[in-house]
Amino acid sequence: MNLSRRTFIRIVGGAGLTSAIPFRYVVGAPQAAATDAGVLVEAASFAERGGWKLDTQHYQQMGGCYLLAHGMGKPVANAKTTVAFPQAGTWHVWVRTRNWCPGDWQAPGRFKLCVDGRTLAAEFGAAGEPWHWQPGGAVEIASPGSVEVELADLTGFDGRCDAIYFTRESSPALPNEDLCELAGWKDRLGGRADKKIEEQSFEVVIVGGGIAGCAAALAARSQGLKVALIQDRPVFGGNASEEVRVHTIGIPGKGAAIMETIDTPHYPNGHADAIQAQQKREATLAASGVHLFALHVAIGLEKVGARIAGVEAREVTSGIIRRFRAPVFIDATGDGWLGYWAGAEFRYGREAQTEFGEAWPKHGELWSPTTPDNRVMGSSVLWNSEVTGQPADFPDVPWAMPVAKQHRAINGEWYWEYSANDLNQIDDAEKIRDHLLRAIYGSFANAKKDPNNATVALKWVAYVAGKRESRRLMGDYMYTMQDMTQRREFPDAVVEEKRAIDSHYQRAETGSPSDFLSEALFHSTDGLYYIPFRSLYSRSLDNLMMAGRCFSCSHIGLAGPRVMKTCGQMGIAIGYAAALCEKHGATPREVGRQHIGELRRLIGYEPAAA
């Protein structure tokens, strides 16, 4: 085996390509010249989004960052951009979209396209459930030059557009299901295919801008490192961000000085106070000297033997790819993307209760199963309403009722959570988020039938789901329930927590008709418990550390320290560890074995006993 073999891995839509030489932009099979002769408009690049939201959550699953008409039942303002047509004449229109909720009802996510002030007859988002190219008829362009194009929402119920294609052909062969081919085609028509991929070097690269990633970046930067922080959303904070609005809980441990600059006060989950906390976090990061790369989706990496040498990320709005090189990388993606792409060992789902002695007889299978399964804690979509003081209408939502059934509510909390044994929290993320949207809109419609709610209107509904659990990357130590209940002390302890072990199950498992609601089980630990540094670096890769919910643990081992202040402590620990990797020319494992006392002193612990 050649341990120094260099491999480039490009991931598009969950499909991986490997090469011995660096990828350029075009990774898919070549397309016919005629297919490339059209004009492509990628929705993420629209000059004005109007009321449409930029959704980057599902790039790996559907091959794009799309615009979402998230109006909570009220049509949103048009998204607008200009398109340069090279010649006059008849141009056929195709829109990549999907009917996100097919059935015996009008599609909820319908929208139209306006070209040069003329509205096309076709209703998009009404035919076909998977992402596909929907024909929209033809338009006459009077003369070459720039023409305004608009997305006109019809419903306010989450219509979505990935791209618009204008072509002289009436029946072009357009790439769709092969997402690698689709990406290469977009790069050609987007004018990126001939560009050289920009490369930048850092001393540590962090992918994932949630609380764990932010804390890691600040800790590493405080030690003088040149730090890159890559985030796929426009703002930082992950589940604590103004887009998801979960308040931060847990304890800050020894990391209070850093944590208080990025955390949130305690407010009802979903509260607008998250906006002020966001401003504080963004100001902290902007002043830190960390190199911030918001709206960059990681799409691949370079691997040399058992080391990651570089990470690729695509800028959402322009499609430009950048390569980030460093001696050390941190996976704070939550889904463990870097480790997964690089072939690191990981787990997903619940272990058998006998594997690590994690049974709780009082709750049986709800806590830990007899045999392993694929069930994990679910994702939540938070929401709330307000009393307006005047009658507030809400449209009929027959498409939401198969999910909501008879359930009524005017606000949501953390327990609006969805997980199913046959759904993967990564692969099926869009379906999971959409299921929760149906639950919310249907439950609110039911509540509006009560005259007491006549003046109640939806105030805010998230469209970015807050995840709790997916992949867990394996380190030299796998953290389990016994470590918490026995309150084991480790010579390489770098994180501490005292909250109860908190695992969720879906109420449907105990007979509830509402499969979108969960219950929490709390197992006391009677005091502080600790996480060793050995759980925060990959056992498979020499230079990858991880913080947050993808750290090395069992399903139940995650249930205690998965909350954001604890995850932030993990980030602080490995941010300092990255500095020691640089200082000593060491791998994370070597830091843990040879410099753990120095690491613990940086964090704020007393030196480990000799």
Side-chain angles (χ1 to χ4, degrees):
M1 180 179 179
N2 182 4
L3 295 179
S4 63
R5 183 181 64 190
R6 186 177 298 270
T7 303
F8 292 85
I9 302 167
R10 177 74 61 80
I11 309 293
V12 184
L17 297 176
T18 60
S19 173
I21 59 174
F23 283 111
R24 295 180 64 81
Y25 278 89
V26 179
V27 296
Q31 291 291 296
T35 306
D36 282 356
V39 177
L40 177 70
V41 185
E42 294 172 271
S45 68
F46 262 59
E48 301 176 36
R49 295 183 197 135
W52 294 66
K53 308 296 185 182
L54 179 55
D55 198 327
T56 63
Q57 299 170 90
H58 314 117
Y59 176 86
Q60 296 297 347
Q61 293 81 10
M62 50 69 63
C65 294
Y66 55 89
L67 289 185
L68 182 76
H70 187 64
M72 300 179 294
K74 295 181 179 179
V76 304
N78 289 5
K80 302 177 182 180
T81 199
T82 56
V83 179
F85 285 88
Q87 56 186 285
T90 301
W91 291 82
H92 299 274
V93 181
W94 296 79
V95 175
R96 191 163 188 261
T97 183
R98 67 184 287 245
N99 178 356
W100 68 272
C101 190
D104 295 329
W105 42 68
Q106 272 196 304
R110 304 186 314 281
F111 63 97
K112 289 199 169 190
L113 192 67
C114 304
V115 181
D116 199 19
R118 292 163 288 174
T119 301
L120 277 61
E123 288 191 354
F124 298 100
E129 193 278 330
W131 282 93
H132 66 286
W133 289 100
Q134 181 179 337
V139 293
E140 294 295 326
I141 301 299
S143 61
S146 294
V147 169
E148 187 171 70
V149 172
E150 301 179 59
L151 296 177
D153 177 33
L154 297 177
T155 69
F157 283 125
D158 303 286
R160 50 204 74 180
C161 175
D162 171 41
I164 306 163
Y165 183 58
F166 297 93
T167 176
R168 305 306 298 272
E169 298 180 81
S170 59
S171 299
L174 301 179
N176 182 55
E177 293 183 2
D178 185 332
L179 300 184
C180 289
E181 182 181 46
L182 176 66
W185 181 77
K186 285 181 175 181
D187 282 337
R188 276 191 296 273
L189 271 74
R192 299 181 291 266
D194 296 327
K195 291 181 179 292
K196 182 179 179 180
I197 293 178
E198 173 190 344
E199 296 191 359
Q200 300 183 47
S201 294
F202 298 88
E203 290 167 314
V204 61
V205 170
I206 303 163
V207 182
I211 292 297
C214 290
L218 293 172
R221 180 62 192 148
S222 75
Q223 300 303 301
L225 265 59
K226 183 181 180 183
V227 182
L229 179 58
I230 300 169
Q231 165 74 329
D232 63 348
R233 299 300 305 154
V235 295
F236 293 90
N239 285 349
S241 73
E242 66 182 15
E243 296 184 316
V244 183
R245 301 189 183 180
V246 178
H247 57 244
T248 55
I249 61 173
I251 62 173
K254 308 298 184 185
I258 288 178
M259 284 304 303
E260 66 186 9
T261 69
I262 58 174
D263 66 2
T264 77
H266 191 281
Y267 46 68
N269 285 316
H271 197 277
D273 282 356
I275 298 172
Q276 186 173 357
Q278 186 74 54
Q279 294 169 350
K280 176 188 75 172
R281 188 179 310 114
E282 297 292 335
T284 295
L285 291 167
S288 69
V290 172
H291 295 262
L292 304 174
F293 295 89
L295 282 178
H296 279 70
V297 178
I299 62 169
L301 54 82
E302 175 189 352
K303 183 181 175 187
V304 180
R307 297 178 65 89
I308 297 174
V311 166
E312 287 187 346
R314 188 185 289 274
E315 186 177 40
V316 170
T317 52
S318 69
I320 294 295
I321 296 174
R322 295 183 171 90
R323 286 199 182 107
F324 300 82
R325 298 193 180 280
V328 178
F329 292 83
I330 289 174
D331 191 328
T333 64
D335 289 332
W337 280 115
L338 297 190
Y340 176 68
W341 293 337
E345 186 179 346
F346 71 93
R347 291 195 175 200
Y348 181 100
R350 304 192 299 175
E351 290 82 10
Q353 56 189 232
T354 55
E355 183 173 359
F356 300 111
E358 295 179 314
W360 189 5
K362 178 180 178 181
H363 295 291
E365 295 284 318
L366 295 176
W367 179 258
S368 187
T370 304
T371 58
D373 60 24
N374 290 320
R375 192 175 295 280
V376 295
M377 286 180 281
S379 298
S380 287
V381 172
L382 295 174
W383 65 287
N384 52 50
S385 64
E386 61 183 345
V387 177
T388 63
Q390 57 188 2
D393 294 331
F394 191 72
D396 292 334
V397 287
W399 44 269
M401 293 311 171
V403 176
K405 300 182 173 67
Q406 301 303 312
H407 190 263
R408 298 183 175 198
I410 58 171
N411 291 291
E413 247 286 356
W414 64 264
Y415 50 82
W416 286 70
E417 174 183 357
Y418 186 48
S419 179
N421 207 32
D422 60 345
L423 292 178
N424 184 285
Q425 291 288 318
I426 300 169
D427 298 340
D428 301 308
E430 189 177 8
K431 182 182 293 185
I432 289 167
R433 189 273 311 271
D434 291 348
H435 189 86
L436 286 162
L437 290 178
R438 294 175 74 185
I440 291 166
Y441 294 136
S443 296
F444 186 73
N446 287 335
K448 287 291 291 179
K449 295 175 184 177
D450 183 343
N452 291 325
N453 294 324
T455 62
V456 176
L458 284 176
K459 182 178 182 181
W460 178 80
V461 178
Y463 65 94
V464 179
K467 287 185 183 178
R468 288 179 177 82
E469 181 182 5
S470 55
R471 296 189 194 101
R472 307 183 303 277
L473 302 176
M474 296 296 99
D476 278 350
Y477 189 87
M478 189 172 171
Y479 197 71
T480 71
M481 175 180 174
Q482 297 297 330
D483 295 316
M484 291 179 279
T485 57
Q486 296 180 19
R487 297 169 58 196
R488 288 176 177 152
E489 297 189 17
F490 301 94
D492 61 339
V494 291
V495 174
E496 60 190 41
E497 185 50 78
K498 64 182 181 180
R499 72 184 300 270
I501 308 171
D502 167 18
S503 186
H504 297 185
Y505 67 89
Q506 298 300 127
R507 294 183 190 178
E509 295 180 61
T510 55
S512 170
S514 300
D515 66 357
F516 50 87
L517 301 177
S518 70
E519 289 287 347
L521 299 173
F522 294 93
H523 191 297
S524 176
T525 62
D526 296 321
L528 282 175
Y529 50 90
Y530 305 89
I531 298 174
F533 179 61
R534 285 165 291 159
S535 295
L536 302 182
Y537 61 82
S538 170
R539 69 170 65 160
S540 309
L541 300 165
D542 291 342
N543 65 336
L544 179 68
M545 293 184 282
M546 53 271 187
R549 57 185 173 83
C550 58
F551 88 105
S552 179
C553 59
S554 66
H555 164 77
I556 294 297
L558 177 67
R562 63 183 171 78
V563 293
M564 283 183 277
K565 289 187 180 181
T566 327
C567 291
Q569 289 188 62
M570 298 181 204
I572 292 168
I574 63 176
Y576 287 143
L580 296 183
C581 289
E582 176 69 18
K583 176 181 178 180
H584 298 292
T587 65
R589 180 178 283 114
E590 290 168 345
V591 167
R593 291 177 177 176
Q594 301 170 22
H595 308 287
I596 192 62
E598 188 176 2
L599 175 58
R600 281 168 51 84
R601 284 191 293 274
L602 281 174
I603 294 168
Y605 288 95
E606 294 298 318

